[in-house]
Amino acid sequence: PVVMYQYSGPSSQEVLNRWQIDWMDAFAAAGYVVVCVDGRGTGGRGRDFCDVVYRRLGYFETIDQIAAARYASSLPYVDSSRIGIFGWSYGGYEALMCATAQDCPYKAAVAVAPVTDWRFYDTVYAERYMLTPQQNEDGYRDSAPLWRTSSLACPLLIMYGTADDNVHPANSLEFVSRLQRQGSFCDMNHSIYGCNSRAVVYAKMLDWFNKNL
């Protein structure tokens, strides 16, 4: 089975020539292949590669993550029926975009502290890439997982902190509320920081993938 990890935010870079010990090692030890891909919009590949997401966050990132999942599924050591995706913050947002995509290839998804509509996020960040909602109405709607809940294609776990001072819990609550109004459901967990809760987050995530992949 595969867990795809990504952040995907503008100018970010996760794939680096570095050594570290993190949750990915624990997942690998538990039998998972961990895949990380920096798609379009991320840094390290020039201005055009980064700026292509301007006014339409989530569009090209989703295409690239799904393409990466389909490539992974072609590898001889990968079970193509057991590919999951995980992300935190912008990565959580992108996990939701992928899980609600029409051609979603994922068996399960985990989104931690996700943005679900850029109208709910800091204007100094959102408007840098999206302009204002009045200037880019279609872009805001098309880039919002909140308006794609009816397309949720796999089991979903959402985790968020009730004291999150960056991505407001309203993002997750609105998403979950819309799912429930449609008769759909996801699993939720609220522990993020303090009292060794970072370990709780990854333990819960591993348990979720074990059950759904």
Side-chain angles (χ1 to χ4, degrees):
V2 169
V3 173
M4 290 187 60
Y5 162 66
Q6 45 71 46
Y7 180 73
S8 298
S11 300
S12 66
Q13 188 173 2
E14 294 297 313
V15 181
L16 296 166
N17 184 14
R18 66 184 177 190
W19 185 90
Q20 65 178 11
I21 292 291
D22 207 335
W23 66 268
M24 293 169 279
D25 300 273
F27 276 47
Y32 288 89
V33 175
V34 179
V35 175
C36 184
V37 173
D38 288 327
R40 280 173 287 182
T42 58
R45 299 191 187 184
R47 186 67 180 268
D48 291 343
F49 188 87
C50 181
D51 287 353
V52 70
V53 300
Y54 183 60
R55 293 174 58 99
R56 56 191 317 185
L57 292 179
Y59 177 75
F60 290 106
E61 302 96 305
T62 302
I63 291 173
D64 291 350
Q65 292 302 319
I66 289 175
R70 299 208 182 283
Y71 172 75
S73 70
S74 72
L75 299 174
Y77 50 84
V78 165
D79 184 341
S80 62
S81 68
R82 293 194 292 165
I83 298 178
I85 188 167
F86 157 71
W88 195 307
S89 191
Y90 198 104
Y93 159 73
E94 181 53 33
L96 292 183
M97 290 294 286
C98 286
T100 56
Q102 290 186 347
D103 54 347
C104 170
Y106 301 102
K107 181 71 179 298
V110 175
V112 182
V115 172
T116 62
D117 191 320
W118 290 107
R119 293 176 177 87
F120 300 155
Y121 196 62
D122 298 337
T123 55
V124 70
Y125 183 96
E127 293 178 9
R128 182 190 314 164
Y129 301 107
M130 296 290 288
L131 302 178
T132 67
Q134 293 77 19
Q135 293 171 306
N136 187 17
E137 182 177 353
D138 290 342
Y140 272 80
R141 184 178 181 90
D142 293 344
S143 67
L146 183 64
W147 299 102
R148 296 156 56 109
T149 52
S150 61
S151 300
L152 182 63
C154 63
L156 170 66
L157 169 65
I158 293 181
M159 292 185 272
Y160 64 94
T162 54
D164 194 325
D165 62 352
N166 184 10
V167 180
H168 195 280
N171 281 274
S172 294
L173 294 172
E174 288 286 346
F175 189 88
V176 171
S177 177
R178 187 171 290 273
L179 278 179
Q180 292 174 343
R181 290 199 301 271
Q182 294 169 177
S184 301
F185 304 95
C186 65
D187 199 1
M188 288 193 297
N189 184 282
H190 305 281
S191 300
I192 302 291
Y193 295 117
C195 303
N196 198 35
S197 58
R198 181 59 65 97
V200 172
V201 168
Y202 289 114
K204 176 67 176 178
M205 183 170 73
L206 179 59
D207 178 66
W208 176 259
F209 282 132
N210 284 340
K211 290 177 179 177
N212 289 282
L213 292 184

